[in-house]
Amino acid sequence: SLIEKLSIKVIRAQDIRSYGMLWAWEKIQSHLVSLGSPPIHLSFDIDGIDPPSAPATGTPVLHGVSLKDTKILLEKISESNLLVGMD
């Protein structure tokens, strides 16, 4: 698939709910290291956050990522010093 061809790491919201954002970050970080720690451009879509935490989104998706887990991820990305852009 194109996702595999481009070495895109996929972690589902369900995985984050089951194992936690720190687990997900470890998977992401390990994948980034395997790619030579490239710069990160984060394209952030608020629709991925669970609707009770982001009620004003135009496309609510039940069982999204919690606001707490979103904050953890953003902090970890910031601490990585790999972030070069975000939209």
Side-chain angles (χ1 to χ4, degrees):
S1 76
L2 185 58
I3 288 175
E4 291 168 345
K5 182 179 177 182
L6 297 175
S7 297
I8 296 171
K9 183 71 174 168
V10 176
I11 298 174
R12 302 171 301 160
Q14 176 183 340
D15 298 329
I16 294 168
R17 284 192 308 277
S18 295
Y19 305 112
M21 184 56 79
L22 293 177
W23 169 88
W25 175 247
E26 289 296 323
K27 297 290 182 189
I28 294 164
Q29 190 175 34
S30 175
H31 185 67
L32 290 171
V33 167
S34 77
L35 297 173
S37 299
I40 297 171
H41 176 92
L42 177 63
S43 183
F44 184 80
D45 189 341
I46 198 165
D47 295 344
I49 297 176
D50 203 28
S53 297
T57 182
T59 311
V61 178
L62 293 177
H63 309 296
V65 178
S66 72
L67 191 56
K68 178 183 173 186
D69 283 334
T70 301
K71 288 179 182 179
I72 290 170
L73 178 62
L74 294 175
E75 288 171 357
K76 292 299 183 184
I77 290 172
S78 176
E79 290 169 4
S80 77
N81 293 317
L82 296 174
L83 186 66
V84 296
M86 180 176 170
D87 63 73

